[in-house]
Amino acid sequence: MNANSSQTKFSSPIGSGSARRRARLVRSLHIPLQFAGCLVLGSIGLCGLLLAQGCNKKSQAAPETTLTLMDQSWVDKESQARLREELNQFTKDTGIQVQILPAPEVAVDQLQTWRNLLESRTKVPDVYGIDVIWPGILADNLLDLKPYVPKEEIAAHFPELIKNNTVNGRLVALPYNLSEGLLFYRVDLLQKYGYTGPPRTWDELENMAKRIQAGERAKGDKDFWGFVWQGAPSEALTCNALEWQVAEGGGTILDDNGRPTVNNPHAIRAWERAAGWVGSISPPGVTAYKEWDSFNIWQAGRAAFMRNWPNAYVSARAENSPMKDRFEIAPLPAGRAGSAATLGGQGYGVSRYSSHPREAAMLVRFLTSRAEQARRSREPSGPPTIPELYHDTEVLKQNPYFKTILLAFTQGSAVRPSTVAGKNYPQVSRAYFEAVNAVLSHKGSASEVAAQLQLELEQIVKQPAGNPSAGVRQEGALAQR
């Protein structure tokens, strides 16, 4: 969508059922609202929106309440269609209209745009999509949602997600969806080579990948690989490497007090193991792979195993996918300390400078509510953030893979230190993924690189926060962080 796209209007007939739902939602927040009969959606420029709002003030004595939302997932058609439907229902229930502002497609540009808008204290947008690693960076300029959201609604979400979105005691976002690292495996190939299930440990994965790769190459597929993942110097590598490191007992880059902890034998061992995959069971070019690169090799049938995110599962299960009936997913293999899956996902937060904080909080409550997550999950979708839905028979019928998502989540999550690092997280992540990439590319030994990284991180966490665009690199719709 571009800034010149025309607006699309949806009619919203107001019936008795809608009125009852509307009244309940409004009463819950004690907000007197005017009810409207339509939803206005569009990708329009920020300046154009401000001018339009100024014109409305001149021409209307009592304009209807209109919220503005900026969402990083708006860049793909599936997300656009889903959000249109949700906002249409929100308008039917409340009479509040919503306008969508276009967002940059690249993650680093998104974060920079969010930060520029919030730090300039502009009243628009009212609501922001918040990536799982952004709360600590943006918290100073986001509203504390606790006064606006009942405690039972907050408690309905996974506590790990609420903790991630809480900065200095302030709940700055409510979770909208869950994402985590997963192991994809070819069921047909495992059966062909006599395996009854996916690998449970990284040692087992190495052995299975080597055997299947050798067998497929002996049959003529010289470009077949055992395992593909994301090794490019980007946030994607931070996610992968953190999973290896935590599984070995190597910590999470920074401890709970913000002190660097990477220079330890467990982290070093994890990096050395991964470096041994490059050119062996993984392509030499894996050190430049992001999510789409590994996914494309997987979709072409050229890999036995892949590490990726839940939205790769949805894409690979699509009707036109060549892998549709040939794969399954499992929790990532375990190391000496167990299994670990990097936590990803998205939430929504409210700008501290919004002219309509209560109405904006209503929108966030609606989008992240149990009812909306249940409705989304009754068709093929991404994982919800409410544990109760993982036991809903209707939800599981449409998304049987949610059972594996829950299993992986409960076995062990690797949480990036974005909250404790705060505005320094982009620099912390950049230092980390560049160091690990150097090990993978055999530009330095793991022990030497770990020692250097420890010193670099100690300097970063002591310094005032810098430009966030100096850190996180990641592109693509599969980049779910």
Side-chain angles (χ1 to χ4, degrees):
M1 300 290 287
N2 57 56
N4 297 318
S5 299
S6 60
Q7 294 182 348
T8 303
K9 294 185 178 180
F10 298 80
S11 62
S12 303
I14 307 249
S16 59
S18 295
R20 285 194 296 270
R21 287 194 302 270
R22 181 170 61 232
R24 286 196 298 269
L25 185 54
V26 172
R27 282 198 303 270
S28 69
L29 286 176
H30 306 290
I31 303 172
L33 296 175
Q34 298 176 353
F35 301 137
C38 67
L39 169 69
V40 179
L41 290 169
S43 289
I44 58 179
L46 184 58
C47 293
L49 175 64
L50 293 172
L51 288 172
Q53 290 181 336
C55 293
N56 284 340
K57 288 181 180 179
K58 292 180 181 179
S59 61
Q60 298 179 10
E64 296 169 332
T65 301
T66 299
L67 298 174
T68 51
L69 179 147
M70 187 174 281
D71 188 345
Q72 69 268 38
S73 64
W74 182 250
V75 296
D76 65 271
K77 292 181 179 179
E78 293 78 8
S79 297
Q80 292 171 15
R82 180 184 67 243
L83 192 56
R84 280 194 182 101
E85 183 178 0
E86 292 173 342
L87 296 178
N88 188 27
Q89 186 62 55
F90 176 73
T91 297
K92 288 181 180 180
D93 288 352
T94 67
I96 301 172
Q97 299 185 61
V98 182
Q99 292 179 336
I100 298 178
L101 301 180
E105 293 188 9
V106 181
V108 61
D109 294 336
Q110 291 167 359
L111 177 57
Q112 185 64 59
T113 299
W114 267 231
R115 190 168 180 181
N116 287 344
L117 288 168
L118 287 166
E119 291 182 353
S120 67
R121 302 192 175 193
T122 177
K123 296 181 182 299
V124 175
D126 299 281
V127 176
Y128 290 82
I130 305 295
D131 187 274
V132 72
I133 59 173
W134 293 355
I137 300 171
L138 304 176
D140 290 348
N141 297 296
L142 295 174
L143 201 67
D144 182 4
L145 294 173
K146 287 181 179 179
Y148 300 89
V149 184
K151 291 181 179 180
E152 58 270 21
E153 290 186 21
I154 298 173
H157 297 275
F158 283 111
E160 293 88 346
L161 297 177
I162 296 299
K163 180 181 179 181
N164 182 81
N165 292 348
T166 301
V167 182
N168 296 325
R170 300 171 61 250
L171 179 63
V172 298
L174 280 178
Y176 176 81
N177 59 31
L178 171 69
S179 191
E180 62 184 351
L182 296 166
L183 180 69
F184 292 63
Y185 65 95
R186 288 278 300 274
V187 174
D188 55 339
L189 291 179
L190 264 63
Q191 293 176 345
K192 179 178 177 180
Y193 288 88
Y195 297 111
T196 58
R200 294 168 295 179
T201 67
W202 287 112
D203 287 339
E204 288 183 6
L205 181 140
E206 289 181 6
N207 293 331
M208 293 169 70
K210 287 178 182 177
R211 183 174 173 221
I212 295 172
Q213 177 178 299
E216 292 302 293
R217 290 187 176 188
K219 291 179 169 58
D221 191 350
K222 302 300 182 182
D223 294 323
F224 190 90
W225 292 95
F227 182 37
V228 291
W229 37 282
Q230 298 83 49
S234 67
E235 187 69 16
L237 177 54
T238 294
C239 296
N240 281 247
L242 189 61
E243 290 163 348
W244 314 329
Q245 184 173 312
V246 172
E248 285 298 308
T252 56
I253 308 175
L254 306 179
D255 65 18
D256 290 341
N257 295 312
R259 292 189 295 262
T261 61
V262 292
N263 191 14
N264 67 79
H266 309 295
I268 291 168
R269 184 169 58 247
W271 300 354
E272 288 175 337
R273 182 208 301 275
W277 299 337
V278 180
S280 174
I281 60 173
S282 301
V286 75
T287 54
Y289 282 12
K290 295 181 181 177
E291 284 85 354
W292 276 115
D293 302 304
S294 51
F295 183 74
N296 287 337
I297 290 179
W298 172 263
Q299 284 291 81
R302 297 291 174 84
F305 300 101
M306 174 180 69
R307 184 270 178 207
N308 222 310
W309 303 98
N311 58 344
Y313 177 94
V314 176
S315 297
R317 281 282 191 238
E319 287 299 323
N320 60 349
S321 169
M323 287 291 106
K324 181 177 183 295
D325 300 313
R326 301 167 64 186
F327 80 97
E328 270 301 341
I329 57 172
L332 289 167
R336 298 186 184 188
S339 178
T342 296
L343 186 65
Q346 176 190 343
Y348 286 102
V350 176
S351 168
R352 288 182 60 186
Y353 315 109
S354 168
S355 297
H356 310 287
R358 289 187 177 274
E359 291 88 340
M362 286 178 67
L363 177 58
V364 171
R365 283 182 61 191
F366 176 84
L367 292 172
T368 62
S369 67
R370 184 198 183 284
E372 269 306 291
Q373 293 203 37
R375 186 193 61 77
R376 287 198 299 270
S377 298
R378 290 193 176 101
E379 58 186 37
S381 66
T385 68
I386 295 177
E388 180 185 344
L389 294 178
Y390 288 81
H391 305 286
D392 186 303
T393 54
E394 290 186 42
V395 168
L396 292 176
K397 181 178 180 181
Q398 291 297 324
N399 294 281
Y401 83 102
F402 283 3
K403 293 181 180 179
T404 303
I405 296 292
L406 183 61
L407 177 62
F409 186 80
T410 55
Q411 283 189 357
S413 294
V415 180
R416 286 165 283 179
S418 55
T419 300
V420 68
K423 294 178 182 179
N424 282 320
Y425 177 74
Q427 289 76 30
V428 168
S429 182
R430 172 182 280 274
Y432 180 74
F433 64 61
E434 288 184 344
V436 177
N437 184 263
V439 175
L440 300 175
S441 303
H442 304 289
K443 296 177 181 177
S445 71
S447 58
E448 292 172 344
V449 170
Q452 294 169 0
L453 177 60
Q454 179 79 17
L455 295 175
E456 184 176 358
L457 291 176
E458 288 173 355
Q459 292 302 312
I460 290 173
V461 297
K462 291 178 182 178
Q463 296 174 356
N467 186 341
S469 64
V472 179
R473 290 182 190 166
Q474 193 155 347
E475 297 96 17
L478 278 178
Q480 285 258 322
R481 298 174 299 282

